[in-house]
């Protein structure tokens, strides 16, 4: 009986982690897609939209997307003009996996 409870707790924990990883991947891919489409993104608005902290959004933009040349102007972030539209769906999918 104890083993079954442990297995259920582990399964529940593993499913929770998978769900969390999935929501992070969805958020990051969505932000990348929006940047790729030329949107100017404002961190406090993103935090509200994705129901995460401003710290999380700032980490996404500054650390997780450090490989991109993001421009910061008057509190908004955008992708450098020469990179607009260059990210393909395959690039976005690869980033999420």
């Amino acid at each position: 009986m104890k083993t079954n409870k442990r297995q259920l707790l582990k399964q529940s924990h593993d499913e929770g982690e998978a769900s969390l990883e999935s929501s992070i991947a969805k958020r990051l891919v969505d932000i990348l897609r929006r940047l790729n489409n030329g949107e100017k993104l404002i961190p406090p608005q993103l935090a509200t939209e994705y129901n995460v902290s401003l710290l999380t959004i700032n980490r996404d933009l500054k650390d997780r997307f450090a490989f991109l040349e993001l421009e910061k102007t008057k509190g908004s972030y955008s992708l450098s003009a020469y990179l607009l539209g260059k990210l393909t769906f395959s690039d976005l999918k690869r980033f999420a996996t």
Side-chain angles (χ1 to χ4, degrees):
M1 190 72 141
K2 288 182 183 179
T3 303
N4 288 338
K5 286 183 182 179
R6 285 186 187 147
Q7 287 174 340
L8 288 174
L9 286 173
K10 181 175 182 343
Q11 180 182 358
S12 175
H13 176 74
D14 291 346
E15 288 172 358
E17 282 186 1
S19 175
L20 178 62
E21 289 172 4
S22 174
S23 65
I24 292 169
K26 286 178 183 177
R27 181 184 74 244
L28 295 175
V29 167
D30 192 49
I31 290 172
L32 279 174
R33 180 192 54 77
R34 293 170 69 177
L35 288 166
N36 195 45
N37 289 336
E39 285 188 50
K40 292 186 178 192
L41 304 178
I42 301 167
Q45 290 177 352
L46 292 175
T48 300
E49 286 177 43
Y50 296 108
N51 197 30
V52 295
S53 71
L54 184 56
L55 180 64
T56 296
I57 293 298
N58 284 328
R59 182 176 47 243
D60 291 347
L61 294 169
K62 293 177 183 174
D63 296 340
R64 291 186 170 132
F65 297 147
F67 67 97
L68 293 173
E69 291 185 37
L70 295 180
E71 297 177 353
K72 184 177 180 185
T73 308
K74 297 182 182 178
S76 70
Y77 287 83
S78 60
L79 195 58
S80 295
Y82 76 92
L83 291 173
L84 288 177
K86 302 237 172 142
L87 293 174
T88 65
F89 180 73
S90 295
D91 294 329
L92 299 177
K93 191 175 174 183
R94 197 173 322 119
F95 182 80
T97 56

